[in-house]
Amino acid sequence: MNDIVDPRSLDRPNSYIGRSVPRPNIRKLVEGAARYVDDVILPRMLHAAFVRSPHPHARIVRIDVSAALSIPGVVKAFTGADLAPHCEPWVAVLAHLKGMKSAPQRPLPLDVATWAGEAIVAVVAETRALAEDAAARVVVDYEPLPAVTDMETALDPATPVIHADLGDNLVFERTNESGDVEAAFRTAHKVVSATFHTGRHTGVTLEPRSILADFNRATGQLVVHHSTQAPHMIRDVLARHLRLPEADVRVICGDVGGSYGIKVHVYPDEMAVAVIAKLMGRPVKFIADRLESFSSDIHARDHRIEGRLAVDAAGRILAFDIDDLTGIGPYSVYPRTSAVEGNQVVNLIGGPYDFAHYRARTTVVLQNKTPTCQYRAVGHPIATAVTEGLVDLAAEALGMDPLDFRLKNLMADGSYPRTSPAGMKFEGLSHVESLEALRKMIDYPALRADQVAARARGIHRGIGFASFIELTNPSPFMYGIGGARISAQDGCTVRIDPDGTVLAATGVTEQGQGTEAIIAQIVAEAVGVPMSSVRVVTGDTLATPYGGGTWACRGAGIGGEAALRAGRATKEAALVVAGSMLQAAPDTLDIVMGNIVDRAGGAVRMPLSELGRIVYFRGDTLPAELPRELMQTRHFITTQFPFAFTNGIQASWLEVDIDTGMVNLLKHWCVEDCGRVINPMLVDEQVRGGVVQGIGGALYEHCVYSPDGHLLMGSMADYLTPMAAEMPDIEVGHVETPTRESALGAKGAGEAGTAGAPAAIMNAINDALRPLGARVFAQPFTPARILAALGRIPTETA
Amino acid sequence: MSTSVDVTLSVNGERVARRVEARRHLVDFLRLDLGLTGTHTGCEHGVCGACTVRVDGVIVRGCLVLAASLDGATVETIEGLTESGEIADLQTAFVERNAAQCGFCTPAMLLTAADLLSAAARDGAVPSREAIREHIAGNYCRCTGYHAIVDAIETVATARAGKGRS
Ligand code: FES
Ligand code: FES
């Protein structure tokens, strides 16, 4: 078996794993030379614009496109009925989420609009501006229907049923239970409880959703330039639903301007574009505008959670009891489904702690609002906020310091492998070591002293903590076993070219995390060449091994391991040839910095380019039977654990202005254990970006709806996102507990920041407000909500 | 649909003459008429800052400026600043500090940062981290959390000030 990666090899030449090297592909970004979908222009390309429903729920009575088509340059308009015969509808359920149901969805609906913002009619024209002019002239007569908006009443008999065929508005329900929760609460020393809300929010990728579909009738090939995280998955979906052989669909994913889970889903308007391209035999481009992004990109995290926690007199956690309710819009989103977020919540609550009794129920219901689905850190920020909010309440009830209470209850570092009361299998975590590392980083006594001194001056500062776990490197247990055609395996092909440079084609994709950089680092080290000799190919289903793409923090752990194995296999193959050329046993040779060297002593025998020259151009000089396989492919899939869990802890230090309700962030820290760190700088930046995304959900971001189901925000002026002036500096620390499932030992790092930040912010605000007897549990923690909690304004105005 | 206007202007030092629709904003003009795709739009509402370019030496939101209003103007974009080498040190700092992830905000962020750096050079001061954050507060970046961007700008400001003194 392959040796595990040894970070002590850092001091060797061409050892790149563990080094903070800059990303080789970043230069184009700073020179404005990247190529996003909207930068691609094809001959005879048309532009699509959509007429979207202004109603949350309405029957489509009549559609008249004649005025739209009268504009010169407007080519065609399509309704749901026009596209339906050419596209199989989809139903987003997973078999392992027992009892889950959802209604069939089509590119454009046939007769009922189910959310404000749903695409109803598509218009294609020679320019985007003309397409928009035409869309404005399409007449749609609607008969408004009562809208289901409040998830609390979605299952009431008096509430209309959105899809009559489903019988009710229930999508999924699950109770995850172990131990004896009732008894634990009966005998508890103290019980704390709270009702938490996480505000519905969304990803706001700066580059909106973008697709350019091009169907060539002569070849029968559909080529799709797509801003996506999962090219092979999208190819599979397009092939099956447009009834094309998979081999005739090519998905090209160039530069992607942010994704965070938003661009891993099947969107009906994008499917419409692909169908239209196929029908017209011409390239069709669609780039969502910002209003369309807000009303049709998936939303997430619309949850209400009732939580209770029981502790004994010694300060040990006995039990969690959780009731989660979430509204997901009118359809479960294809193919990952919209039940996974709630399912994650009931799997992850209590995750860092050692206790015995657990009950968590999730209820997933339909509403006439934008569909929700997986967004960065899926379910984790919710589960962590509930867990850590209750933990702080318990510490307070016991009169204990929040860090001491955590230390007493965290799973001990030496206690793995183990299974949590929620049924999660942990291979190896480092909660205690991480907490101690954080305690040092923040200088806890100094912060507490500052807090006391500030209070004396009437300034309210708070410090909040959040221990967390994060699920990474998913196996087929996440989607595959439920019937979704989503690959948990990934592959890498490594090829040595005649001049000694190395190509690596990988199934994982780049959206800015640095995927191509870490693949280059791993391959350079595995083959034995300088990193500058490696070129990485991603994001083209015609050019890369089949794989799942980049989501759920699998790029480094899964894609990286495949790259390591492919690189090592390529080196081995090269040494076979080198052995023959040099009349030496292959295992006495090595490749270092692009040269074949003696393993003992390191004397350079010949450059890799000489080997390349001989193999490709003078193969006649080698023994006939000698294998000369300078291109190797390896795949990797995890088999021992369903997921590789990571862990960490965050701290937030902030100030609450009790007159304005404004929160001023002073500093943020995160200690993270994502296993083997391939590029510390890139991991730190993933953590920082993730933390700020978590802060956004905690303090600012909210998709606000009117009671009758209209989205009340439509621009970035009224949907607030974190901007530089309000964000704190963020310090990142590491503990490394590599997974033993792979030689590389890497787990994911992209979601930890988002998983823990909202909880840390909430706890810090409540720490600041504690002497004033106020608490907040409903995100986002807006000034109005904080003032209401302080009793300074009436609750209803918040 | 709308009337067209003839304009002649300088873009990255080249004289260009075009007939543009009155409603065409500067970013569409740069991207669609001139093929300069380094400038992006993220909102077209004047909020995200992704469309930042320089007009007559001042940074503006390209989505809020109509191309038809630019007859005689001088426009500079990321492509021009790259070509001239004016922000080479800043670009290198962004590369080394990983101050760009997806890169969609990056060209505009660089123009905004360059604006601060030249103001700082005029005053002979190194801006504080707070001042840097304040200056780029109109440029949305979803990926980085801003910390690395602030670091990169701070590095360049310090280096430039050092050079100025020596
Ligand atoms: S595109 Fe101009 S400010 Fe957003
Ligand atoms: S790097 Fe992606 S938005 Fe800034």
Side-chain angles (χ1 to χ4, degrees):
Chain A
M1 197 49 224
N2 287 321
D3 300 334
I4 63 158
V5 168
D6 180 1
R8 281 169 307 178
S9 64
L10 252 185
D11 47 6
R12 282 183 37 220
N14 72 248
S15 60
Y16 296 102
I17 297 171
R19 269 189 218 264
S20 288
V21 292
R23 292 161 56 202
N25 62 350
I26 191 176
R27 186 48 74 175
K28 66 182 171 185
L29 306 179
V30 302
E31 295 193 356
R35 203 164 200 237
Y36 304 94
V37 172
D38 200 19
D39 302 336
V40 180
I41 292 173
L42 298 177
R44 299 190 75 229
M45 183 172 84
L46 296 172
H47 298 260
F50 291 91
V51 180
R52 293 179 184 271
S53 172
H55 301 286
H57 198 190
R59 189 164 306 285
I60 302 163
V61 179
R62 188 182 68 100
I63 297 175
D64 182 356
V65 299
S66 52
L69 295 179
S70 71
I71 302 173
V74 175
V75 181
K76 229 168 160 64
F78 298 86
T79 65
D82 295 329
L83 299 186
H86 309 286
C87 183
E88 292 293 332
W90 55 90
V91 179
V93 294
L94 289 167
H96 65 299
L97 301 181
K98 300 232 162 20
M100 181 181 183
K101 57 187 199 280
S102 182
Q105 193 176 13
R106 298 172 187 280
L108 302 171
L110 289 177
D111 25 58
V112 180
T114 52
W115 83 89
E118 182 176 15
I120 307 296
V121 182
V123 190
V124 287
E126 286 166 12
T127 68
R128 167 79 191 218
L130 282 175
E132 285 182 23
D133 291 340
R137 291 220 195 159
V138 170
V139 180
V140 184
D141 290 340
Y142 297 94
E143 176 194 322
L145 299 168
V148 181
T149 57
D150 184 356
M151 60 188 179
E152 299 283 353
T153 58
L155 300 179
D156 290 359
T159 302
V161 172
I162 295 177
H163 302 288
D165 290 350
L166 298 182
D168 57 24
N169 293 324
L170 179 67
V171 174
F172 177 63
E173 188 168 38
R174 178 184 163 215
T175 302
N176 185 0
E177 187 164 8
S178 66
D180 188 346
V181 172
E182 292 302 332
F185 276 90
R186 250 194 332 269
T187 59
H189 171 61
K190 288 212 187 296
V191 172
V192 293
S193 65
T195 300
F196 300 84
H197 288 92
T198 49
R200 181 183 258 264
H201 55 282
T202 183
V204 200
T205 59
L206 188 52
E207 177 209 33
R209 289 189 293 109
S210 307
I211 187 168
L212 166 55
D214 181 15
F215 185 69
N216 183 323
R217 283 187 182 135
T219 63
Q221 266 199 329
L222 178 69
V223 179
V224 176
H225 301 262
H226 197 199
S227 183
T228 178
Q229 300 168 234
H232 282 101
M233 182 202 86
I234 291 294
R235 172 176 178 250
D236 168 85
V237 167
L238 289 168
R240 279 185 301 118
H241 292 273
L242 272 60
R243 302 182 199 110
L244 290 164
E246 197 162 346
D248 282 341
V249 181
R250 176 181 182 190
V251 175
I252 300 172
C253 168
D255 291 309
V256 173
S259 50
Y260 333 108
I262 298 300
K263 294 174 180 170
V264 76
H265 309 294
V266 171
Y267 287 93
D269 48 15
E270 295 176 13
M271 289 297 279
V273 168
V275 177
I276 292 168
K278 184 169 172 239
L279 289 174
M280 301 191 69
R282 287 178 75 163
V284 181
K285 182 188 270 186
F286 168 64
I287 313 290
D289 69 22
R290 189 51 58 191
L291 176 58
E292 288 178 302
S293 302
F294 278 122
S295 66
S296 66
D297 286 7
I298 59 113
H299 294 176
R301 317 218 218 283
D302 195 2
H303 289 242
R304 182 273 294 145
I305 313 98
E306 315 265 3
R308 292 198 298 159
L309 182 156
V311 281
D312 68 13
R316 299 202 63 95
I317 298 174
L318 298 172
F320 279 89
D321 185 16
I322 304 296
D323 182 26
D324 170 57
L325 173 67
T326 175
I328 60 151
Y331 295 97
S332 167
V333 174
Y334 196 57
R336 284 175 154 68
T337 85
S338 307
V340 166
E341 190 182 69
N343 198 52
Q344 299 265 74
V345 170
V346 298
N347 282 338
L348 296 170
I349 283 180
Y353 298 101
D354 189 352
F355 62 96
H357 310 283
Y358 186 70
R359 181 169 60 203
R361 182 167 77 128
T362 186
T363 307
V364 181
V365 300
L366 296 175
Q367 315 155 295
N368 292 113
K369 294 183 182 176
T370 299
T372 73
C373 201
Q374 277 73 299
Y375 165 51
R376 194 174 195 171
V378 196
H380 292 73
I382 303 162
T384 307
V386 171
T387 306
E388 295 300 281
L390 291 171
V391 160
D392 262 24
L393 286 175
E396 184 183 341
L398 292 161
M400 283 179 73
D401 175 87
L403 277 187
D404 293 343
F405 181 76
R406 283 178 174 79
L407 261 189
K408 198 177 193 97
N409 285 286
L410 287 167
M411 288 183 179
D413 288 358
S415 66
Y416 305 94
R418 62 188 289 173
T419 301
S420 76
M424 297 296 101
K425 293 189 172 61
F426 300 136
E427 181 196 358
L429 301 174
S430 62
H431 286 297
V432 174
E433 192 184 341
S434 299
L435 184 146
E436 293 301 357
L438 181 89
R439 194 199 286 272
K440 269 204 213 88
M441 246 165 106
I442 65 176
D443 193 352
Y444 193 37
L447 283 184
R448 286 292 181 205
D450 180 293
Q451 181 178 41
V452 171
R455 267 189 195 139
R457 303 194 306 271
I459 292 169
H460 299 273
R461 292 190 177 151
I463 178 148
F465 300 102
S467 285
F468 61 88
I469 53 170
E470 190 216 332
L471 170 168
T472 78
N473 294 1
S475 73
F477 277 83
M478 190 145 184
Y479 295 113
I481 58 162
R485 296 164 69 89
I486 294 171
S487 176
Q489 173 182 286
D490 232 291
C492 184
T493 297
V494 172
R495 181 176 91 197
I496 298 174
D497 276 342
D499 67 350
T501 55
V502 173
L503 273 183
T506 171
V508 291
T509 53
E510 170 80 273
Q511 300 101 37
Q513 309 89 326
T515 306
E516 294 185 10
I518 62 158
I519 296 292
Q521 287 177 262
I522 293 166
V523 169
E525 177 159 340
V527 177
V529 295
M531 218 178 130
S532 56
S533 297
V534 180
R535 296 292 176 274
V536 179
V537 180
T538 63
D540 183 345
T541 57
L542 207 60
T544 65
Y546 200 100
T550 300
W551 46 273
C553 289
R554 63 189 297 284
I558 310 290
E561 179 70 9
L564 181 71
R565 293 183 181 192
R568 285 176 168 178
T570 306
K571 175 193 219 161
E572 229 170 87
L575 290 179
V576 168
V577 179
S580 166
M581 287 170 67
L582 298 169
Q583 298 299 304
D587 60 4
T588 65
L589 300 170
D590 198 359
I591 308 177
V592 175
M593 291 303 270
N595 289 309
I596 311 288
V597 301
D598 284 329
R599 190 173 283 273
V604 174
R605 302 292 302 273
M606 66 176 170
L608 205 47
S609 55
E610 176 59 10
L611 184 142
R613 184 183 72 84
I614 296 297
V615 166
Y616 292 113
F617 310 124
R618 291 305 309 273
D620 59 303
T621 65
L622 297 171
E625 71 288 356
L626 183 78
R628 58 254 346 238
E629 302 294 338
L630 299 188
M631 171 156 142
Q632 297 287 329
T633 300
R634 291 294 181 274
H635 291 87
F636 180 64
I637 187 165
T638 54
T639 51
Q640 295 158 37
F641 289 87
F643 314 102
F645 275 94
T646 68
N647 70 278
I649 181 166
Q650 296 190 25
S652 162
W653 172 235
L654 52 73
E655 196 171 293
V656 181
D657 182 329
I658 60 165
D659 294 319
T660 63
M662 296 285 282
V663 172
N664 181 14
L665 303 172
L666 301 172
K667 183 96 197 215
H668 201 100
W669 299 264
C670 178
V671 172
E672 210 225 356
D673 183 349
C674 61
R676 176 80 62 240
V677 173
I678 300 164
N679 185 324
M681 174 172 68
L682 298 186
V683 168
D684 287 1
E685 294 320 314
Q686 280 302 296
V687 171
R688 290 195 173 101
V691 163
V692 167
Q693 239 168 336
I695 291 173
L699 292 179
Y700 314 116
E701 299 183 40
H702 201 187
C703 298
V704 180
Y705 279 85
S706 68
D708 61 355
H710 287 93
L711 190 57
L712 296 179
M713 28 60 64
S715 82
M716 293 180 65
D718 43 27
Y719 179 97
L720 300 184
T721 52
M723 302 302 275
E726 292 79 34
M727 288 304 107
D729 279 347
I730 299 163
E731 228 176 283
V732 185
H734 296 283
V735 171
E736 283 193 42
T737 311
T739 170
R740 283 183 290 270
E741 272 223 55
S742 66
L744 189 60
K747 311 176 195 173
E751 300 178 300
T754 313
I761 298 282
M762 175 180 71
N763 286 346
I765 293 172
N766 289 337
D767 187 51
L769 299 181
R770 190 163 292 120
L772 305 167
R775 283 174 183 150
V776 286
F777 297 111
Q779 297 176 38
F781 305 113
T782 58
R785 284 175 169 172
I786 287 172
L787 290 177
L790 285 164
R792 298 198 158 207
I793 59 169
T795 311
E796 52 278 14
T797 54
Chain B
M1 291 297 293
S2 64
T3 46
S4 295
V5 179
D6 288 318
V7 287
T8 301
L9 62 160
S10 155
V11 178
N12 296 331
E14 278 174 36
R15 207 176 92 109
V16 298
R18 290 285 189 285
R19 164 158 290 221
V20 295
E21 265 192 280
R23 65 178 175 177
R24 174 153 285 192
H25 61 54
L26 175 54
V27 184
D28 275 355
F29 175 70
L30 292 169
R31 293 178 54 85
L32 301 173
D33 293 330
L34 305 183
L36 293 168
T37 53
T39 305
H40 305 140
T41 55
C43 71
E44 295 180 279
H45 294 138
V47 189
C48 74
C51 58
T52 305
V53 292
R54 241 189 232 164
V55 176
D56 295 332
V58 177
I59 52 168
V60 300
R61 314 224 138 182
C63 72
L64 298 182
V65 175
L66 294 176
S69 71
L70 293 177
D71 192 42
T74 299
V75 174
E76 291 162 281
T77 69
I78 186 65
E79 290 91 345
L81 266 59
T82 301
E83 182 85 28
S84 73
E86 183 193 323
I87 57 166
D89 55 348
L90 187 60
Q91 288 168 313
T92 297
F94 267 54
V95 167
E96 285 172 355
R97 185 58 193 82
N98 203 51
Q101 289 187 25
C102 80
F104 207 76
C105 71
T106 309
M109 196 66 87
L110 287 164
L111 265 91
T112 306
D115 185 61
L116 172 69
L117 290 171
S118 35
R122 276 195 301 276
D123 307 347
V126 175
S128 66
R129 289 180 78 79
E130 291 65 40
I132 294 170
R133 286 184 176 278
E134 203 57 56
H135 194 83
I136 61 169
N139 287 70
Y140 172 62
C141 173
R142 185 53 131 182
C143 297
T144 63
Y146 305 105
H147 185 127
I149 295 174
V150 176
D151 284 351
I153 298 170
E154 194 181 29
T155 302
V156 175
T158 310
R160 285 194 189 176
K163 256 187 223 130
R165 271 194 297 274
S166 63

